[in-house]
Amino acid sequence: PEDLRMGEDEARRLLDATPVDFSDDDIAELVRRTEGWPAGLYLAALSAGANGHGDAGALTGNDPFVVDFLRSEFLAYLPADELEFLTRTSMLDELSGPLCDAVLATGGSAAMLESLQRSNQFVVALDRDRAWYRCHPLVRELLAAELTRSEPELVSELLGRAFDWCAENGREVAAIAYGQSSGDTDRVAAAMERCVQPVFQSGRSATVEQWFAWLEANAPRERYPAVAVIGGMFHAVSGNATASERWADAAEQGTYSGRLGDGSESIESWRALLRAVRAREGIAALRADAAHAVRALAPDSTWHPAALVLLGMADLLSGAPGEADDHFADAAEEAADLGAPDMAPIALAERALVAIGRDEWVAADELAERAIWTARRSHREYAPINGLVYAVAARTTVHRERTSAAEELIGRAQRRLPQLTYGLPIPSLQTRLELARTYLALADQAGARAMLREVESLLRRCPDLGTLAQQADELRSALDTAGHNAPGVSTLTAAELRVLPLLTTHLTFKEIGERLYLSRHTVKSHAISIYRKLDVTSRAAAVGRAHLLGLL
């Protein structure tokens, strides 16, 4: 069977014989959709010809050509038990014996799957042990539509069983997909409460974002306050401050009884942690909320290190660096033990800031290097919050007069600035202040002023954050005596850094604006400013220069 599947070159030769003109992208999509099935490729051409277009993405198992062919050439010859099995499992993305047994409330599914795969009935084994299989997507779509028409009342029941089995067997991502298919917001929310954090920490932030978007579209946010807390946290660390505010507001409204997924006794501990993250009520409230979270969260909660970091930040910004350093040290140790990959490097970077404040530059440099090493080892190196890690390391590196190494670290910090917003105010402010100090040490006054403008904007949204405003004032005074220099790469703003990666694509300014919710005129203004600061005159030259500088 594998030899009979067509690749893109073979599909091109087949489709070139049809009246429809398919692009290379269309052919790649058709090969993916049909899995190289030659008859499916030809049916797609027939369908496109009949519809007067070559839209490869339009081919589904419910296309009339596909339906007629599969019914007459495949389904008509299937034994009744095999047809029923495939129809009732058509709601499943992947198939295994135990899963199908649970969904169908029967036995013998493993033998059925092996028989279907062996007889080449559009069922493919996914592993050498033949534990997991999948059905061809076009066949699945046809049979799922048939099931929905013939037994609509059964669909929700089958999906519910699939959700329960997956949730009980460590396949939470698949469980949530089945819960979404059935429209069961209660099941989806319960699963999200358990698994958002580990899935996010594994790097699948797009998956988590889709879960929150789906739940928000299908249920009131305040109905699930525990999930709302997680939503506030997730969007804050992802750079979506507006969404973080929506979820945080909902988290304060709902009611929740019972023990939480991390073992904490009360949702008030989670709410206090989220309030501390957002730091909207000033430094005193931040310290009270962080202290409550440290006391009330379960000791082995993966959020406990974050609470310690926030308590340390409150002490540091209140003028108590000794107490702050103790909390940061505890947080770094806990984060390593509990598997909280984002918190260990941040705790170490904060300890480096404490050491700089004491003029202990050797210790600060060692802590900054450990922070970078920890971030890389955690596989979460590209997390926005690690902008602080690189900004602190850049400052200690400049102090050692290693300018080229510092410039590389500055570039790494700058790439993370667009996602460091007022949703996460303290690390966002600290990162920009450290970059401003580093630019000033490099005699780059324009870069320092650009950072200071962003600091002032953040402070307007989040005032009363202890010594941060004083630090900004001191920097402003230093800059006033340092004079001015010409704008350059260091003066790229967060908005311009958000546009820069999209200049590498074939998107027009209008299309870039649609993605970023900006007008075409605004995108063009940002682009022209980028060209000026990078000392280039074209989009292609800007992209090349940005690559050389480590901004892309």
Side-chain angles (χ1 to χ4, degrees):
E2 290 302 319
D3 294 333
L4 295 175
R5 298 182 194 277
M6 285 189 165
E8 290 183 25
D9 290 340
E10 295 167 315
R12 160 65 72 186
R13 293 200 294 274
L14 171 66
L15 295 172
D16 277 348
T18 70
V20 182
D21 183 22
F22 289 99
S23 69
D24 290 342
D25 289 342
D26 288 334
I27 290 176
E29 176 63 15
L30 281 173
V31 170
R32 187 191 69 80
R33 291 283 296 148
T34 63
E35 298 186 352
W37 175 36
L41 289 164
Y42 195 72
L43 290 168
L46 293 177
S47 176
N51 294 324
H53 60 78
D55 184 4
L59 182 70
T60 71
N62 294 308
D63 184 278
F65 286 94
V66 175
V67 170
D68 289 345
F69 182 88
L70 288 175
R71 280 179 174 163
S72 61
E73 299 295 332
F74 173 54
L75 300 180
Y77 296 96
L78 272 182
D81 60 334
E82 293 182 358
L83 178 58
E84 180 179 325
F85 178 89
L86 287 175
T87 301
R88 293 196 171 185
T89 59
S90 61
M91 298 294 175
L92 306 178
D93 296 321
E94 294 182 356
L95 312 168
S96 75
L99 171 58
C100 292
D101 283 347
V103 170
L104 302 176
T106 186
S109 297
M112 174 67 80
L113 287 167
E114 187 175 354
S115 173
L116 289 166
Q117 188 271 335
R118 192 170 54 246
S119 59
N120 195 27
Q121 303 291 6
F122 287 98
V123 172
V124 180
L126 298 178
D127 52 41
R128 292 185 177 182
D129 297 332
R130 286 177 165 71
W132 286 92
Y133 301 80
R134 60 172 167 75
C135 185
H136 193 288
L138 297 180
V139 176
R140 268 192 64 207
E141 288 167 358
L142 167 60
L143 294 176
E146 295 274 3
L147 181 64
T148 301
R149 282 193 297 268
S150 62
E151 298 181 277
E153 72 288 346
L154 187 59
V155 173
S156 180
E157 183 179 347
L158 295 174
L159 288 169
R161 293 175 189 169
F163 176 98
D164 292 341
W165 187 91
C166 289
E168 292 168 5
N169 288 273
R171 297 175 66 87
E172 295 277 16
V173 174
I176 288 176
Y178 294 132
Q180 289 176 333
S181 295
S182 65
D184 193 332
T185 58
D186 289 346
R187 275 189 164 110
V188 170
M192 287 176 65
E193 185 181 329
R194 295 190 298 268
C195 72
V196 162
Q197 197 170 3
V199 171
F200 173 64
Q201 289 174 349
S202 71
R204 290 174 286 178
S205 58
T207 298
V208 174
E209 187 172 1
Q210 186 273 329
W211 290 347
F212 280 110
W214 182 90
L215 191 63
E216 192 170 21
N218 288 275
R221 290 184 296 274
E222 58 272 16
R223 180 174 174 179
Y224 305 109
V227 176
V229 171
I230 301 170
M233 297 280 197
F234 166 74
H235 289 295
V237 300
S238 299
N240 193 338
T242 303
S244 177
E245 288 188 339
R246 291 199 308 270
W247 285 99
D249 289 344
E252 297 289 347
Q253 298 174 37
T255 59
Y256 188 99
S257 59
R259 189 183 296 268
L260 291 139
D262 68 342
S264 299
E265 295 286 347
S266 168
I267 196 171
E268 291 307 318
S269 60
W270 282 27
R271 286 172 169 155
L273 180 64
L274 179 55
R275 288 194 297 271
V277 165
R278 300 177 68 229
R280 291 294 186 273
E281 303 301 324
I283 199 71
L286 163 62
R287 195 185 192 291
D289 285 327
H292 178 79
V294 168
R295 290 192 305 271
L297 285 168
D300 57 352
S301 168
T302 53
W303 278 352
H304 202 266
L308 283 169
V309 166
L310 289 161
L311 185 56
M313 288 175 173
D315 283 337
L316 180 61
L317 301 181
S318 299
E323 291 86 342
D325 196 40
D326 291 340
H327 293 314
F328 294 140
D330 291 344
E333 184 177 346
E334 270 196 16
D337 291 341
L338 297 176
D342 286 352
M343 285 301 104
I346 296 306
L348 291 167
E350 294 285 356
R351 293 197 70 196
L353 288 178
V354 173
I356 290 172
R358 294 169 171 166
D359 205 26
E360 298 172 354
W361 286 95
V362 173
D365 191 52
E366 291 175 352
L367 287 163
E369 287 187 353
R370 280 178 58 197
I372 290 177
W373 180 83
T374 305
R376 290 174 177 168
R377 188 165 174 260
S378 72
H379 306 296
R380 290 275 299 145
E381 180 185 1
Y382 294 100
I385 197 172
N386 283 331
L388 176 61
V389 171
Y390 289 106
V392 172
R395 189 177 174 199
T396 62
T397 303
V398 164
H399 188 267
R400 286 187 292 155
E401 300 182 351
R402 295 179 56 198
T403 303
S404 60
E407 288 174 346
E408 179 188 354
L409 292 166
I410 288 170
R412 291 177 180 270
Q414 273 193 311
R415 286 201 295 273
R416 290 157 176 81
L417 286 182
Q419 284 76 46
L420 283 173
T421 68
Y422 68 89
L424 204 63
I426 294 177
S428 299
L429 283 160
Q430 288 179 315
T431 301
R432 287 168 171 84
L433 287 167
E434 293 309 301
L435 285 174
R437 292 184 175 104
T438 303
Y439 286 134
L440 195 56
L442 293 170
D444 182 353
Q445 291 89 1
R449 289 183 190 281
M451 287 298 99
L452 194 55
R453 283 194 294 273
E454 295 189 16
V455 166
E456 291 166 348
S457 176
L458 287 168
L459 285 172
R460 283 194 295 272
R461 287 184 176 272
C462 307
D464 189 21
L465 288 180
T467 61
L468 288 175
Q470 178 186 341
Q471 293 177 44
D473 290 340
E474 291 170 356
L475 268 169
R476 192 179 301 105
S477 297
L479 281 167
D480 288 341
T481 61
H484 293 76
N485 62 6
V489 61
S490 62
T491 64
L492 288 174
T493 66
E496 291 161 358
L497 288 167
R498 193 174 293 113
V499 169
L500 182 60
L502 293 175
L503 295 181
T504 65
T505 69
H506 295 296
L507 297 173
T508 65
F509 287 162
K510 179 182 178 183
E511 290 168 336
I512 291 174
E514 290 171 352
R515 292 206 177 184
L516 298 179
Y517 303 101
L518 300 173
S519 71
R520 177 186 179 282
H521 176 73
T522 300
V523 173
K524 184 178 180 181
S525 297
H526 287 328
I528 291 172
S529 178
I530 290 169
Y531 301 165
R532 177 172 55 85
K533 293 175 181 179
L534 297 183
D535 193 24
V536 297
T537 57
S538 70
R539 182 168 173 172
V543 170
R545 177 81 171 137
H547 276 296
L548 287 174
L549 294 169
L551 294 174
L552 293 172

